[in-house]
Amino acid sequence: MSADLGNGMVLYTALLRVFFGVLLWCLAPKIAKFTSKGNDQEINLSGVTDTQLYSTAFIALGIYFALSALPDMIHGFYLLITIEEHLAGAGMEATTARVFQQSHYTKDMLILPTLSFGCGVVSILSARAWSQKLTRS
């Protein structure tokens, strides 16, 4: 794939996501009316505290971050293991430098998914503590 086509695909994908995001934002009231079937009622939340709501939000965000980063993390670790095995069996051939560069690229590629996964797990495990800190302030 040429560099121009690759850059165009990235731009096309980004613009497509922005377009659908704006479209969903504009259609949100109609979607809400359709899903609720016009039944607009008050919700009684007297038994739920602010701490419980914040805890639920932290847990939901943590699950989102952890699960969205997990496939990239698994793929990155797989690539890292296979490249390192190839590097060990390559000896001092001409491809060693290229494989070594790919290995470092794969390690750099692992940083963001691993951080996202770690932040998600921390958010899940410390949800109650953070929600209590928020309700005190």
Side-chain angles (χ1 to χ4, degrees):
M1 180 180 282
S2 70
D4 294 334
L5 184 59
N7 292 337
M9 291 300 289
V10 170
L11 181 63
Y12 173 73
T13 305
L15 289 176
L16 195 63
R17 286 183 180 191
V18 169
F19 172 75
F20 279 115
V22 170
L23 182 69
L24 281 175
W25 181 51
C26 292
L27 294 176
K30 292 180 182 178
I31 294 171
K33 286 180 184 177
F34 177 73
T35 56
S36 65
K37 306 263 192 257
N39 191 4
D40 191 18
Q41 295 180 354
E42 292 288 324
I43 298 174
N44 185 7
L45 295 176
S46 60
V48 179
T49 64
D50 290 341
T51 306
Q52 291 172 333
L53 288 175
Y54 287 135
S55 292
T56 304
F58 278 115
I59 289 171
L61 282 173
I63 289 172
Y64 171 75
F65 278 113
L67 290 181
S68 65
L70 193 60
D72 290 335
M73 222 171 72
I74 291 171
H75 179 68
F77 279 120
Y78 170 75
L79 285 178
L80 183 65
I81 290 169
T82 55
I83 288 174
E84 290 292 335
E85 286 176 358
H86 183 64
L87 180 62
M92 296 304 290
E93 298 175 6
T95 60
T96 304
R98 195 177 100 219
V99 172
F100 186 70
Q101 288 173 349
Q102 288 174 349
S103 174
H104 279 289
Y105 172 73
T106 306
K107 289 176 185 175
D108 291 343
M109 191 175 73
L110 271 172
I111 292 172
L112 186 61
T114 305
L115 283 175
S116 295
F117 181 78
C119 288
V121 170
V122 167
S123 179
I124 292 169
L125 296 178
S126 63
R128 185 175 265 319
W130 282 106
S131 60
Q132 288 173 349
K133 288 180 184 181
L134 278 174
T135 54
R136 276 190 232 139
S137 59

